């Protein structure tokens, strides 16, 4: 007995080592159904033949979703063919194999997922793809040819009566297969700068093109349409000369008219948006007309090689407070100060009602504008009042140190209490008496009804005037306008009604311009010209209006009038800057040379070596990226790859990416991102061997390319169940039994 047990254990172990199995487990199959526009018709046609026992189904195009059966039709998955997402969806279902039914025209590169893939090729539906191709970075004035490229995939042959026949027999005839090509009639229409071009074509499977020539003098648009029995396709192409200047103009309609007359691509805008698609941004607006984000965008634009032009409209340059912004160091001019100083005491209401609608906060912001606009020879003081008066600081010169201290004290102001203005106003008059300036002014600001109005207030205002003028400001709807108006009238000043607290900062900015003589001068101002490429062959007439300004030491004066600067230019960051201190809506209106002078100025501004430009062009086998600008060692990162640009000419570079590269690419220099661009995607229909794509993917995964749906059905439906573990377990059980019997026999012998 023991002998036979030992023999059985040995036999079972030998059998387990041999590794027998039984085909009892069903194979888990996931079928991927390509329902992209190029393949859906063919997939729907063979769908009934794809009903496999126990299989699961995933429909995919740009997206992927599990469906109940192979005959499900989904038109909501996008217009592309992205295989990666479909394979991830299939892998999540834990299959033993994946059957991929597709035309093989994928728009991404899919890697094997560790599961055998069996490809079933279906030829794409007939289609005519239309695209417009232009030369890269064409120059202004160059005669160029835009080609309308037509890719005809051919017509699918009718389905064979035998459902089990090879699916590959349905492939479209094409010249490289040696069969007679299908033909189709089509009508191509192209519209552009050279007018309308119409052609009747007879297309064969493959690629053909039609040229459209014109001279590129300005940004242009070319459109094309092809019509056939397969439907209609359209394409659009926007072209700009590589040296054509695009200008954004904010707040200066006169400048925009001059530049449009010179053929520039001018866009009049109300705001700054990203990205800034221009080489020059002209600013006739004030700094307060733009948000902090817009100012940051302009600074970044300048640092990256863009150019800025300031003009002296009624809201531009110093009228707009640009000298007190983050761009102040880039402004090539500064105010030309008038001799003599100004003394101002601000009588500021800090009663409890000033907390409503953030009146006090806005008043403080406005007061800071007043302080920052002051010159070193100007004296400013602030006395606040509620139940009683308190000096924040008495009149002091607005030197750099004085300005910093005044700003710090203003920012510490808080509100609370009643409205008692009398003592604060009288102390303001008294404090201004000894101030050594020719012009003196009290500005009283309140939002409520003063509880201590007495006749001596008006008497004091009359006695101080005209040496000290009194102006008043009413904030909001509850202010005592009658009292404030009468006080201003008695003091020989102005009454200002500011119904909305949000307007306080602008009011103070305008008051600063009035008080500190920041205003344009009117008259006749002869202009002197200094040699420069911008001013060659120009002789401007006298100006009617000029904003007193002088050129900063780092900039260059091109036009001047006496000691004042009319036009100054310079370089800032990687770009260029210019400032024009006259209002073009009032000066040079009858001078024919104004348009030419401004055109030369904008051309000079735009010709910065740092002005970068990048363009991506999709070729048959790769994506070509062209870069223009001042770069030392630029590199390109896209689709997980990084490669260096190769120089192809002065300030021109080129890089090539695989044809599957899509999405965003970034141009780097010294590890810093400089430019971003969107790569053109692969077209859904294209002249490519989809059967070969499927075959390569199947072979790399350990699967194979199937020739027909019959071959699909002949695939093994069950997978082997290994008997190795059960045999080892049985051998172990018999071994233990043998040891037990051996132990009993030994015990019996010893007992006997």
């Amino acid at each position: 007995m023991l002998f036979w047990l030992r023999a059985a254990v040995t036999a079972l172990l030998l059998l387990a080592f041999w590794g027998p199995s039984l085909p009892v487990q069903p194979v888990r199959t996931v079928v991927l159904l390509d329902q992209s526009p190029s393949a859906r018709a063919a997939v729907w046609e063979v769908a009934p033949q794809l009903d496999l026992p126990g299989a699961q189904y995933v429909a995919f195009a740009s997206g992927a979703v599990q469906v109940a059966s192979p005959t499900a039709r989904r038109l909501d998955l996008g217009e592309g063919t992205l295989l990666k997402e479909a394979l991830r969806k299939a892998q999540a279902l834990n299959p033993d194999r994946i059957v991929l039914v597709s035309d093989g025209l994928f728009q991404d590169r899919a890697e094997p997922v560790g599961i055998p893939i069996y490809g079933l090729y279906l030829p794409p539906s007939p289609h005519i793809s239309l695209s417009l191709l232009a030369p890269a970075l064409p120059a202004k004035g160059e005669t160029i040819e835009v080609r309308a490229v037509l890719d005809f995939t051919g017509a699918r042959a009718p389905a064979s009566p035998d459902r089990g026949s090879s699916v590959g027999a349905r492939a479209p005839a094409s010249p490289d297969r040696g069969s007679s090509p299908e033909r189709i009639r089509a009508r191509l229409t192209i519209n552009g700068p050279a007018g309308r071009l119409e052609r009747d074509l007879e297309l064969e499977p493959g690629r053909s093109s039609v040229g459209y020539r014109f001279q590129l003098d300005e940004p242009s648009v070319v459109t094309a349409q092809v019509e056939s029995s397969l439907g209609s396709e359209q394409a659009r192409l926007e072209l700009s000369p590589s040296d054509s200047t695009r200008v954004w103009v904010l707040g200066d309609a006169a400048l925009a008219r001059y530049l449009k007359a010179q053929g520039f691509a001018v866009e009049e805008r109300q705001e700054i948006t990203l990205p800034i698609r221009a080489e020059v941004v002209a600013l006739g607006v004030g700094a307060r007309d733009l948000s902090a984000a817009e100012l940051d965008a302009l600074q970044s634009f300048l640092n990256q090689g863009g150019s800025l032009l300031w003009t002296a409209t009624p809201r531009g340059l110093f009228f707009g407070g640009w000298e007190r912004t983050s761009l102040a160091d880039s402004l090539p001019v500064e105010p030309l100060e008038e001799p003599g100083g100004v003394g101002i005491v601000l009588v500021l209401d800090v009663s409890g009602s000033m907390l409503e609608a953030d009146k006090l906060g806005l008043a403080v912001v406005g007061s800071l504008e007043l302080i920052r606009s002051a010159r070193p020879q100007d004296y400013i003081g602030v006395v606040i009042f509620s139940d009683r008066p308190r000096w924040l600081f008495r009149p002091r010169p607005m030197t750099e140190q004085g300005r910093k201290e005044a700003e710090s004290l203003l920012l510490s102001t808080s509100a609370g209490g009643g409205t008692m203005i009398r003592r604060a106003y009288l102390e303001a008059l008294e404090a201004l008496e000894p101030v050594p300036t020719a012009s003196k002014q009290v500005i009283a600001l309140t939002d409520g009804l003063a509880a201590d109005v007495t006749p001596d207030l008006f008497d004091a205002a009359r006695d101080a005037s005209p040496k000290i003028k009194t102006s008043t400001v009413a904030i909001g709807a509850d202010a005592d306008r009658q009292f404030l108006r009468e006080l201003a009238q008695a003091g020989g000043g102005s009454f200002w009604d500011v119904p909305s607290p949000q307007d306080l900062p602008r009011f103070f900015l305008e008051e600063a311009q009035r008080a500190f003589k920041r205003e344009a001068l009117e008259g006749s101002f002869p202009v002197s010209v200094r040699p420069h490429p911008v001013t060659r062959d120009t002789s401007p007439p006298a100006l009617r209006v000029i904003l007193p300004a002088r050129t900063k030491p780092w900039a260059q004066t091109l036009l001047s009038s006496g000691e004042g600067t009319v036009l100054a230019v310079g370089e800032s960051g990687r770009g260029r800057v210019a400032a024009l201190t006259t209002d073009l809506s009032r000066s040079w209106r009858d001078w024919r040379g104004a348009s030419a002078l401004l055109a030369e100025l904008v051309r000079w501004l735009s010709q910065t070596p740092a002005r970068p430009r990048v363009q991506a062009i999709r070729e048959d086998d790769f994506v070509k990226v062209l870069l223009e600008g001042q770069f030392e060692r630029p590199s390109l990162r896209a689709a997980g790859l990084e490669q260096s640009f190769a120089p192809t000419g002065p300030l021109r570079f080129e890089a090539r990416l695989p044809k599957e590269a899509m999405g965003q690419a970034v141009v780097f220099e010294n590890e810093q991102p400089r430019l971003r661009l969107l790569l053109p995607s692969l077209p859904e229909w294209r002249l490519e061997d989809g059967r070969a794509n499927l075959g390569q993917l199947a072979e790399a995964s350990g699967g194979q390319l199937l020739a027909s749906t019959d071959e699909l059905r002949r695939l093994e439906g069950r997978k082997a169940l290994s008997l190795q573990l059960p045999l080892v377990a049985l051998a172990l059980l018999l071994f233990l039994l043998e040891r037990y019997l051996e132990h009993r026999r030994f015990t019996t012998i010893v007992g006997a």
Side-chain angles (χ1 to χ4, degrees):
M1 177 69 175
L2 294 178
F3 171 78
W4 292 110
L5 284 175
R6 290 170 185 159
V9 169
T10 303
L12 288 172
L13 289 175
L14 290 173
L15 187 61
F17 179 76
W18 178 56
S21 61
L22 293 175
V24 294
Q25 283 188 312
V27 176
R28 296 190 301 272
T29 302
V30 173
V31 181
L32 294 180
L33 305 165
D34 187 347
Q35 300 210 5
S36 62
S38 63
R40 60 171 65 120
V43 171
W44 290 344
E45 190 172 342
V46 302
Q49 304 171 50
L50 303 175
D51 193 1
L52 305 176
Q56 300 181 84
Y57 300 90
V58 173
F60 75 96
S62 296
V65 64
Q66 187 173 359
V67 294
S69 71
T71 56
R73 299 188 176 189
R74 297 297 295 264
L75 298 174
D76 58 342
L77 300 178
E79 299 299 310
T81 311
L82 301 180
L83 184 58
K84 283 184 180 179
E85 177 62 24
L87 289 176
R88 281 197 293 267
K89 197 79 172 180
Q91 190 177 20
L93 299 175
N94 297 315
D96 297 310
R97 67 180 172 219
I98 296 173
V99 176
L100 176 56
V101 185
S102 173
D103 60 5
L105 301 180
F106 309 121
Q107 293 177 308
D108 59 355
R109 181 190 290 272
E111 301 296 336
V113 292
I115 302 170
I117 297 174
Y118 293 82
L120 182 62
Y121 173 73
L122 300 178
S125 59
H127 184 78
I128 300 176
S129 297
L130 173 65
S131 59
L132 292 171
L133 297 180
L137 305 175
K140 184 177 181 181
E142 178 184 351
T143 298
I144 66 170
E145 182 177 70
V146 173
R147 299 205 68 82
V149 179
L150 300 141
D151 288 330
F152 176 36
T153 59
R156 291 192 299 118
S160 170
D162 179 12
R163 283 293 188 182
S165 64
S166 171
V167 178
R170 298 151 49 93
S174 61
D176 62 345
R177 293 192 179 107
S179 55
S180 299
E182 301 287 342
R183 295 175 180 268
I184 190 171
R185 293 185 176 276
R187 184 172 185 80
L188 175 67
T189 305
I190 306 176
N191 287 289
R196 185 182 184 92
L197 173 66
E198 295 184 347
R199 291 281 180 86
D200 289 321
L201 307 171
E202 188 171 355
L203 302 177
E204 298 179 353
R207 173 168 294 177
S208 58
S209 66
V210 174
Y212 181 80
R213 296 174 64 84
F214 62 94
Q215 184 171 314
L216 185 63
D217 294 317
E218 59 184 0
S220 304
V221 175
V222 178
T223 60
Q225 179 174 347
V226 61
E227 296 176 286
S228 69
S229 58
L230 299 177
S232 176
E233 286 287 317
Q234 296 180 341
R236 174 186 171 90
L237 179 67
E238 295 184 6
L239 288 166
S240 291
S242 60
D243 59 347
S244 175
T245 303
R246 296 166 294 181
V247 186
W248 282 8
V249 178
L250 285 77
D252 196 335
L255 174 65
R257 287 196 299 272
Y258 281 126
L259 297 181
K260 286 178 181 178
Q262 289 290 314
F264 289 98
V266 177
E267 184 177 346
E268 295 187 69
R269 300 180 61 88
Q270 302 297 320
E271 60 182 358
I272 300 293
T273 58
L274 292 177
I276 298 178
R277 300 188 183 278
E279 283 71 56
V280 178
V281 176
L283 299 164
V285 296
R288 286 205 167 275
D289 296 320
L290 303 177
S291 66
E294 289 175 297
L295 294 176
D296 290 343
L298 289 174
Q299 183 68 69
S300 177
F301 171 68
L302 194 59
N303 292 339
Q304 292 178 3
S307 297
L308 300 179
L309 166 62
W310 284 271
T311 59
T313 65
R315 294 167 61 185
L317 266 181
F318 312 134
F319 297 135
W322 283 100
E323 75 277 18
R324 295 186 303 282
T325 67
S326 58
L327 286 164
D329 292 340
S330 300
L331 194 62
V333 295
E334 58 187 359
L336 185 62
E337 307 293 0
E338 296 291 327
V342 175
I344 295 177
V345 170
L346 177 62
V347 181
L348 180 60
D349 185 355
V350 294
S351 61
S353 60
M354 288 290 287
L355 292 173
E356 300 172 3
D358 195 28
K359 295 178 201 173
L360 180 59
L362 292 166
V364 167
V365 171
S367 303
L368 291 174
E369 289 290 347
L370 192 70
I371 288 170
R372 291 164 184 166
S373 300
R375 305 157 296 179
Q377 65 266 38
D378 297 320
Y379 285 68
I380 294 181
V382 177
V383 57
I384 60 177
F385 68 92
S386 54
D387 294 324
R388 57 187 177 83
R390 180 170 68 86
W391 282 97
L392 278 183
F393 53 92
R394 292 183 177 274
R396 63 180 64 181
M398 286 294 102
T399 60
E400 183 176 352
Q401 182 62 30
R403 187 179 294 113
K404 288 181 179 178
E405 293 175 358
E407 290 177 357
S408 177
L409 290 167
L410 263 172
L411 291 171
S412 66
T413 306
S414 59
T419 309
M420 308 289 284
I421 194 175
R422 180 177 176 277
R423 284 178 53 197
Y425 172 67
L426 295 176
E427 287 191 26
L429 291 177
E430 183 180 350
L432 276 172
E433 282 287 345
V435 172
T437 60
S439 175
K440 302 175 185 180
Q441 181 180 10
V442 172
I443 302 175
L445 183 150
T446 181
D447 72 333
L449 298 173
D452 57 348
V453 175
T454 57
D456 65 328
L457 281 175
F458 304 107
D459 293 338
R462 293 188 189 94
D463 292 342
S465 179
K467 186 178 179 181
I468 302 175
K469 293 185 177 181
T470 298
S471 295
T472 58
V473 183
I475 310 172
D478 298 329
D480 190 344
R481 284 169 173 74
Q482 181 177 351
F483 158 66
L484 293 173
R485 188 178 287 107
E486 291 176 358
L487 184 61
Q489 185 176 0
S494 302
F495 166 69
W496 304 99
D497 190 356
V498 184
S500 173
Q502 283 73 25
D503 292 331
L504 276 172
R506 182 174 296 281
F507 160 75
F508 274 105
L509 181 60
E510 294 172 352
E511 182 61 25
Q513 293 165 359
R514 289 186 291 266
F516 304 128
K517 309 300 182 184
R518 300 281 174 83
E519 57 186 19
L521 305 178
E522 296 188 22
S524 179
F525 304 95
V527 177
S528 300
V529 180
R530 296 186 182 179
H532 190 272
V534 170
T535 56
R536 59 190 172 193
D537 302 325
T538 188
S539 180
L543 301 171
R544 292 182 56 186
V545 60
I546 189 173
L547 181 63
R550 63 184 173 194
T551 303
K552 290 182 178 178
W554 55 267
Q556 184 178 2
T557 302
L558 302 189
L559 301 178
S560 61
S561 181
E563 296 182 356
T565 298
V566 176
L567 175 62
V569 299
E571 295 187 356
S572 180
R574 296 169 66 92
R576 290 177 171 177
V577 292
L580 186 65
T581 64
T582 190
D583 185 352
L584 294 171
S585 66
R586 301 165 66 186
S587 293
W588 292 342
R589 288 186 300 178
D590 300 325
W591 179 40
R592 294 183 178 180
S595 184
L597 172 64
L598 294 169
E600 290 297 332
L601 173 62
V602 170
R603 290 192 187 99
W604 180 85
L605 285 170
S606 67
Q607 291 169 0
T608 60
R611 177 167 61 90
R613 186 172 178 180
V614 66
Q615 180 181 2
I617 301 174
R618 184 167 290 283
E619 304 285 357
D620 287 341
D621 299 321
F622 56 86
V623 177
K624 181 167 61 177
V625 181
L626 302 169
L627 178 66
E628 183 182 68
Q630 186 176 9
F631 294 89
E632 293 181 2
R633 294 181 178 177
S635 62
L636 183 68
R637 296 181 189 175
L641 303 173
E642 181 172 359
Q643 58 181 284
S644 299
F645 279 92
T648 58
L651 302 180
R652 291 199 173 193
F653 306 85
E654 181 180 317
R656 293 186 177 186
L657 295 170
K659 67 178 181 181
E660 299 85 4
M662 293 193 302
Q664 191 179 75
V666 184
V667 177
F668 281 79
E669 185 177 31
N670 298 325
E671 295 300 319
Q672 297 297 318
R674 289 287 307 279
L675 293 171
R676 300 178 188 274
L677 73 154
L678 193 64
L679 300 176
S681 60
L682 277 167
E684 170 65 15
W685 276 274
R686 57 189 185 274
L687 300 176
E688 187 176 306
D689 192 346
R691 182 194 296 273
N693 293 340
L694 276 180
Q696 292 171 4
L697 180 62
E699 183 179 354
S701 68
Q704 68 181 74
L705 183 64
L706 304 175
S708 68
T709 54
D710 269 357
E711 194 170 339
L712 170 62
R713 291 180 174 279
R714 286 196 294 267
L715 292 177
E716 291 290 340
R718 293 184 177 274
K719 63 181 179 179
L721 174 63
S722 174
L723 298 179
Q724 190 174 42
L725 186 59
L727 290 172
V728 171
L730 182 58
L732 179 61
L733 182 62
L734 293 178
F735 173 75
L736 293 174
L737 177 61
E738 184 269 337
R739 298 310 301 161
Y740 171 73
L741 294 175
E742 176 71 19
H743 176 71
R744 283 191 61 184
R745 192 176 78 167
F746 177 77
T747 303
T748 302
I749 294 173
V750 172

